[in-house]
Amino acid sequence: MTAGTREDGSRGWRAAAQEALYGPGGFYRRPGAGPAGHFRTSVHASPLFAGAVARLLCRVDAALGRPAALDFVDMAAGRGELVAGVLAALPADVAERTRAYAVELAGRPTRLDHRIEWRERPPEGVTGLLFANEWLDNVPVDVVEVDAAGVPRLVLVRADGSERLGEPVTGAEAAWLARWWPLGTGQGLRAEIGLPRDLAWAAAAGTLARGLAVAVDYAHTAAARPPFGTLTGFREGRETAPVPDGSCDITAHVALDACAAACAPPSARLLSQREALRALGLSGARPPLALASADPAGYVRALAGAGEAAELTAPGGLGDFGWLVRAAGIPDVLDG
């Protein structure tokens, strides 16, 4: 019996999701198309996203004084789509100085650019940009639910996805709830305890010597926590019930404000993806109609690019994703 598993086969969501996603044969360990075969991220929506990240890396490079070696670390790299796209979009003089790292538990894809180092953990002493796109939402967390007596209890789950309530939440987890996601006493209210994500982000950001660390995810803050949590699953492009059997992605929105406070000193900025990408020169504005007469092919290309940019910045969609930006030894390079 796995540690933490009860006699009926149930255990907390954190342990169950950890094995289902990252254990032997887990969802993220499998060969094949990887995450792109099951859900659509900004990276898969348009190459414009990698281009914007490349421009961000160039701003970091300039703020660092154009060092001889510039690091780009892609956390939860999937099949390396983002890091490869960033390298391709960089100016030649920046690309030749860039040390590219893909951090991922799955095996290295074939035909990946030889310049990319594939590893399970980020390097130490990063000088450059550490970028975590939709990583923290897949750091497993425990789920709690308020019982009939108004007590928050751990939600236990079996491999088939069936749930029951377990013991009351205590210790550091209870302290995190009290500070970041106070539930009240209404029966059925739920929350995800984001403490493991805080620690994961603090560890990743702690590898940064000088430069910028960025986490991008669907997120919420203390002003608008969802009353019944956000735990869900994705399989083959569709949202589905979260079942911890390795057959689907298991994800939950991120309390990015708690992650921001986890680093010492807790200096970071939160903004929407729409704001961040516009600061990097990306908008969904349509090209001028005059271009259609002067350069019809160019107009069609510009129109397609505007549509892709609009998807990346759309309200109610990718544009509402949160960006957590933490600088170390450089000014705020996303300020215009």
Side-chain angles (χ1 to χ4, degrees):
M1 184 179 296
T2 307
T5 303
R6 281 59 169 181
E7 289 186 1
D8 65 352
S10 63
R11 50 184 166 165
W13 265 107
R14 182 185 178 191
Q18 182 69 36
E19 182 174 342
L21 296 179
Y22 306 113
F27 181 80
Y28 280 106
R29 294 277 193 176
R30 296 177 179 177
H38 296 274
F39 49 86
R40 181 177 172 87
T41 72
S42 297
V43 178
H44 309 124
S46 171
L48 294 176
F49 187 78
V53 176
R55 289 193 292 278
L56 178 59
L57 180 58
C58 288
R59 290 189 185 184
V60 172
D61 180 44
L64 289 169
R66 296 180 172 82
L70 176 68
D71 297 323
F72 177 67
V73 181
D74 181 12
M75 297 292 298
R79 296 300 182 264
E81 299 96 333
L82 177 60
V83 63
V86 168
L87 279 177
L90 289 173
D93 64 308
V94 179
E96 68 184 11
R97 292 184 287 108
T98 298
R99 299 184 298 196
Y101 301 93
V103 181
E104 178 59 62
L105 294 177
R108 181 187 181 95
T110 58
R111 302 178 184 174
L112 186 69
D113 191 316
H114 70 278
R115 295 174 294 173
I116 300 169
E117 181 177 334
W118 197 264
R119 54 192 298 154
E120 290 194 359
R121 290 184 174 82
E124 294 292 334
V126 172
T127 299
L129 174 61
L130 181 144
F131 201 86
N133 184 63
E134 296 197 43
W135 166 50
L136 290 172
D137 67 283
N138 286 129
V139 173
V141 292
D142 275 318
V143 178
V144 299
E145 182 176 318
V146 178
D147 68 10
V151 177
R153 292 181 176 271
L154 191 69
V155 176
L156 304 180
V157 61
R158 299 179 181 86
D160 63 2
S162 59
E163 295 180 338
R164 70 175 179 88
L165 295 188
E167 62 270 20
V169 181
T170 60
E173 289 76 14
W176 189 94
L177 276 180
R179 179 180 180 186
W180 293 110
W181 200 331
L183 279 172
T185 58
Q187 184 178 4
L189 295 174
R190 287 170 67 117
E192 294 102 24
I193 301 176
L195 182 58
R197 293 169 173 178
D198 298 353
L199 298 175
W201 173 247
T207 66
L208 189 70
R210 292 181 66 223
L212 201 69
V214 179
V216 181
D217 242 306
Y218 34 69
H220 46 66
T221 59
R225 301 283 190 226
F228 302 106
T230 61
L231 187 74
T232 191
F234 285 93
R235 182 189 296 114
E236 297 178 355
R238 297 187 178 186
E239 190 169 5
T240 186
V243 179
D245 61 0
S247 68
C248 66
D249 180 34
I250 297 172
T251 178
H253 289 42
V254 182
L256 273 184
D257 49 350
C259 293
C263 297
S267 57
R269 185 154 73 107
L270 295 175
L271 65 164
S272 70
Q273 174 155 297
R274 182 166 47 258
E275 295 169 315
L277 292 183
R278 286 178 177 171
L280 291 168
L282 195 65
S283 76
R286 293 171 62 93
L289 282 174
L291 182 63
S293 300
D295 181 5
Y299 177 78
V300 171
R301 289 193 300 271
L303 193 62
E308 293 176 5
E311 181 182 2
L312 291 171
T313 58
L318 294 173
D320 289 343
F321 273 41
W323 281 46
L324 166 55
V325 180
R326 178 177 173 80
I330 64 170
D332 185 352
V333 296
L334 264 176
D335 187 14

